[in-house]
Amino acid sequence: MPSSDRDAERAREQEHALNALLAERDGLLSVLDRVLALQGTARLIRDAAGADAGFVADLDGPSRAVIRWIAGNRTDSLQDLAVPIGQGIGGRVLAFGEPVRVSDYVTASSITHQFDGMVRRESMSAMLAVPVLAERDGRVDTVAVAYAALRGAGEFGDDAVGAVQAVAREAARALRLADRAEAGRTTAVAAERQRMQASLHDSVGAMLFSIGAQVRDLRTTLPDNPLLSTRLGRLESDVSAASLALRESLLALSESSPERALPIELAEHCRSFEARTGVPARLVQLGEVAPLDEERTALLIGAVREGLLNTEKHSGAATVVVSLGMVDGGVQVAVADDGAPESGAAEPVDGAGLGLRMLAERAARLGGRVSLVHDEDGGTTLRVLLPVHR
């Protein structure tokens, strides 16, 4: 084969590989970004139901949804339309959390008709709306509404309802992943803010303190020079003002809600462990975590610290994963490593070291439990579960 043909063939292979990577990237983005996930859902609804149009309304409060993403529309009449609970077909879904369908929207007696004008402009007749459901804090809530619509004669049967419900379940899964990704990004940003706070305090704060001290010393040693004393006084005042501004900035950097403080601390312990040992350690937050009181927060942070310390001392692990999430109505942290296997599949905590025994006693006083499991194939997992204090 001539070299030009070989070069052309390699170029086609590289282009194919690049296109595959771009498609994979787009797929990842669609599940890690809430907007992209729901935008894609509108197209999937239309195709799955054999409809002329599909659209999705996202909740912007407990009793109102807003139509944000549309596929197959002819006008902008439905774009950004607010749908309060109880109104129209989507409002009924919000009220009851169940699918609703009508064979002709503008004549249906089962719904209200505030939106007839918008529907007429789109020439829509039969319409179906299905809730996108998510489990939060032990209950199932509607987090979005998926719509399908026909133009002209026709209606949605049970198969169409089932198809849209299947798309809605996939959308709920994508939203969970997007929310977890967003929680991870927020935690990373907050952890970086905390590192910036410490760095500024140790560098700029110390420098301003040193300058202020030197200025005060100069004023003391040169009492007979009024002009210099005045200038030093202004300089001392400027340094004091800069120190105050720095303190306010450091406070702003450190501000964090209680539910964000826990993952930030855990991420910092993972970072410190990795810097100390060279073993990769990462935090995986499995959804939002209910706010905890100071005692429970301190205990969970201490549990992760103890788990990482044990991994450092005993396991010879290559990777460590710390997870945080809601389990069985409580908050659980787990420290899992892939170190050398230990004898036995599970070890009672009271047979472990002093640190773990004390951890188990503290957890028991709060109604929680601690387990230490050695996997047969290698690795150890420490889990601590605490009930949420109401």
Side-chain angles (χ1 to χ4, degrees):
M1 180 184 292
S3 61
S4 60
D5 292 341
R6 287 196 298 271
D7 292 342
E9 181 64 25
R10 281 197 296 270
R12 283 193 292 271
E13 290 175 356
Q14 290 169 354
E15 181 181 6
H16 178 74
L18 177 59
N19 289 335
L21 286 171
L22 289 173
E24 184 177 353
R25 182 207 65 176
D26 291 341
L28 286 170
L29 285 175
S30 69
V31 298
L32 295 178
D33 185 280
R34 185 181 184 88
V35 172
L36 290 176
L38 293 180
Q39 186 177 42
T41 297
R43 294 191 297 271
L44 290 173
I45 292 166
R46 181 189 60 186
D47 298 340
D52 295 306
F55 41 106
V56 180
D58 198 11
L59 266 66
D60 71 345
S63 58
R64 192 178 83 153
V66 179
I67 297 174
R68 301 290 191 193
W69 301 276
I70 309 175
N73 54 310
R74 293 176 176 174
T75 73
D76 293 332
S77 58
L78 297 177
Q79 186 66 53
D80 297 326
L81 178 66
V83 181
I85 189 169
Q87 295 185 10
I89 189 171
R92 281 185 62 85
V93 170
L94 287 179
F96 299 108
E98 297 177 350
V100 178
R101 52 182 160 171
V102 294
S103 57
D104 183 28
Y105 187 95
V106 298
T107 63
S109 60
S110 59
I111 60 172
T112 63
H113 291 278
Q114 291 88 345
F115 312 119
D116 285 1
M118 295 81 161
V119 172
R120 282 195 180 97
R121 283 195 286 275
E122 282 286 343
S123 302
M124 291 176 175
S125 51
M127 196 174 293
L128 164 67
V130 168
V132 178
L133 303 172
E135 185 173 346
R136 293 176 174 174
D137 298 332
R139 68 177 189 275
V140 178
D141 294 327
T142 298
V143 295
V145 180
Y147 296 80
L150 294 174
R151 296 186 176 95
E155 60 182 30
F156 292 107
D158 293 341
D159 289 344
V161 174
V164 176
Q165 285 180 312
V167 174
R169 285 193 293 272
E170 288 301 311
R173 177 175 174 272
L175 289 179
R176 284 197 300 273
L177 291 173
D179 289 343
R180 290 173 186 175
E182 178 60 28
R185 286 192 291 269
T186 305
T187 298
V189 169
E192 182 60 27
R193 285 160 59 100
Q194 191 176 67
R195 286 194 288 274
M196 288 172 59
Q197 179 200 23
S199 177
L200 287 171
H201 177 272
D202 294 342
S203 59
V204 179
M207 187 185 303
L208 288 172
F209 177 82
S210 176
I211 292 172
Q214 292 178 58
V215 169
R216 286 190 294 273
D217 288 345
L218 281 173
R219 291 187 68 187
T220 302
T221 57
L222 299 170
D224 299 330
N225 191 328
L227 180 60
L228 182 58
S229 181
T230 300
R231 295 179 66 181
L232 288 173
R234 285 200 297 268
L235 180 57
E236 186 176 5
S237 178
D238 290 344
V239 170
S240 178
S243 297
L244 178 60
L246 176 64
R247 285 196 296 273
E248 291 175 349
S249 298
L250 294 180
L251 285 173
L253 282 172
S254 67
E255 286 179 356
S256 174
S257 60
E259 58 270 30
R260 294 250 50 89
L262 177 58
I264 292 168
E265 286 291 329
L266 300 188
E268 280 298 290
H269 279 295
C270 289
R271 186 186 66 84
S272 297
F273 172 87
E274 186 168 333
R276 229 174 27 245
T277 65
V279 177
R282 63 189 180 98
L283 172 68
V284 177
Q285 186 173 345
L286 306 175
E288 291 299 315
V289 174
L292 300 174
D293 57 37
E294 185 176 348
E295 185 176 13
R296 285 169 171 76
T297 300
L299 194 152
L300 292 176
I301 292 172
V304 169
R305 187 167 54 241
E306 182 68 25
L308 291 173
L309 181 61
N310 283 342
T311 297
E312 185 176 353
K313 290 192 297 185
H314 304 304
S315 78
T319 58
V320 182
V321 175
V322 176
S323 60
L324 168 68
M326 301 295 294
V327 176
D328 297 333
V331 179
Q332 177 178 276
V333 295
V335 181
D337 65 59
D338 60 353
E342 302 281 350
S343 59
E347 174 184 322
V349 174
D350 56 11
L354 177 61
L356 287 178
R357 289 200 300 273
M358 293 177 62
L359 182 66
E361 292 171 1
R362 290 174 61 196
R365 286 197 294 270
L366 295 173
R369 60 180 183 268
V370 176
S371 66
L372 183 66
V373 177
H374 299 301
D375 301 327
E376 292 182 357
D377 297 330
T380 301
T381 302
L382 170 68
R383 290 188 179 88
V384 179
L385 175 65
L386 295 180
V388 176
H389 178 64
R390 299 291 184 185

